[in-house]
Amino acid sequence: EDQVTQSPEALRLQEGESSSLNCSYTVSGLRGLFWYRQDPGKGPEFLFTLYSAGEEKEKERLKATLTKKESFLHITAPKPEDSATYLCAVQASGNTGKLIFGQGTTLQVKP
Amino acid sequence: EPEVTQTPSHQVTQMGQEVILRCVPISNHLYFYWYRQILGQKVEFLVSFYNNEISEKSEIFDDQFSVERPDGSNFTLKIRSTKLEDSAMYFCASRGIGSQPQHFGDGTRLSIL
């Protein structure tokens, strides 16, 4: 069964304190791994797509990496505005684009 | 920047009543989806829709649920006879061709009394 697990569930950082979020997955043929940001009361906002092991994507203070079993979202020198829930989702090959989500990591960055 | 819009933002309905949730996907997108998120739980896939028909549906998407693209711009989710356990946030998403990512609306919070 396709499955996504994210850790930790919650993370508190001081402003400027770098860290990483983990997304472990099991899927029958990975078509893509997606990172989304979700603010309270809002829908998921697209951040990155990763397609194959070894791939990396960067955007401002965020960097996503992918191996055959997991993905990391590295946050460098975070700011309070980076506080949000970060969702990881996978799309298996051969299906219709259905995304399977992890439960998310809620990040709080304190000034 | 184009976005997915959903209405209403909050819907309160009595148990057993029918409810229609509405979505306007991004205009040049071809694939459409509904997901739901029960409070404190994961975002769950409900259904995907392409070329005017359902392409995949989850176990949650039983006979009480239906989807429609009535006029080429709107995409609706209908729940025929709502139950208490249907209370959740419902998200619409759309994507373009190939491996483009799905873009989500801000959701409709459905509360069943």
Side-chain angles (χ1 to χ4, degrees):
Chain A
E1 182 185 344
D2 299 336
Q3 198 168 358
V4 178
T5 303
Q6 292 186 245
S7 61
E9 286 190 16
L11 183 62
R12 284 178 152 184
L13 299 173
Q14 288 296 128
E15 184 171 2
E17 180 187 1
S18 301
S19 189
S20 297
L21 313 182
N22 177 262
C23 171
S24 298
Y25 64 91
T26 53
V27 66
S28 53
L30 180 70
R31 195 159 189 174
L33 184 142
F34 301 82
W35 282 98
Y36 287 86
R37 169 189 170 129
Q38 187 176 26
D39 292 300
K42 299 285 189 178
E45 176 189 349
F46 171 71
L47 294 173
F48 302 110
T49 310
L50 300 166
Y51 295 104
S52 57
E55 190 175 358
E56 298 182 353
K57 294 271 179 76
E58 278 189 75
K59 180 180 178 180
E60 296 180 354
R61 295 175 293 283
L62 300 177
K63 178 180 175 181
T65 62
L66 181 65
T67 72
K68 288 187 177 179
K69 293 184 179 180
E70 58 191 351
S71 176
F72 291 93
L73 185 65
H74 307 278
I75 303 177
T76 303
K79 299 182 178 182
E81 53 262 41
D82 295 322
S83 297
T85 296
Y86 290 85
L87 302 174
C88 173
V90 297
Q91 180 185 339
S93 62
N95 71 12
T96 55
K98 173 180 81 173
L99 294 179
I100 300 164
F101 281 85
Q103 73 272 35
T105 293
T106 300
L107 173 66
Q108 184 182 26
V109 182
K110 293 194 166 186
Chain B
E1 186 175 327
E3 58 183 25
V4 176
T5 56
Q6 291 186 244
T7 55
S9 56
H10 191 191
Q11 174 83 44
V12 181
T13 302
Q14 292 289 331
M15 186 173 61
Q17 295 295 305
E18 176 181 287
V19 65
I20 298 175
L21 309 183
R22 303 181 190 279
C23 169
V24 179
I26 294 172
S27 63
N28 61 347
H29 283 185
L30 299 176
Y31 298 84
F32 313 108
Y33 304 86
W34 285 101
Y35 294 83
R36 79 173 186 190
Q37 187 174 31
I38 295 171
L39 189 63
Q41 297 186 23
K42 296 183 180 184
V43 176
E44 301 175 283
F45 169 79
L46 292 177
V47 65
S48 61
F49 191 86
Y50 170 72
N51 201 25
N52 277 323
E53 60 183 24
I54 291 173
S55 45
E56 186 173 357
K57 59 184 180 180
S58 72
E59 292 175 357
I60 302 167
F61 195 90
D62 61 21
D63 291 343
Q64 296 299 311
F65 290 86
S66 62
V67 290
E68 195 178 31
R69 188 155 161 81
D71 56 14
S73 61
N74 291 283
F75 181 50
T76 62
L77 174 68
K78 182 193 289 187
I79 309 175
R80 257 179 281 282
S81 178
T82 50
K83 305 170 191 168
L84 293 176
E85 53 264 37
D86 294 328
S87 295
M89 195 77 160
Y90 287 80
F91 292 108
C92 173
S94 69
R95 72 175 175 95
I97 60 172
S99 300
Q100 292 185 29
Q102 293 178 32
H103 293 270
F104 286 76
D106 281 338
T108 293
R109 180 172 300 283
L110 179 62
S111 300
I112 307 300
L113 304 180

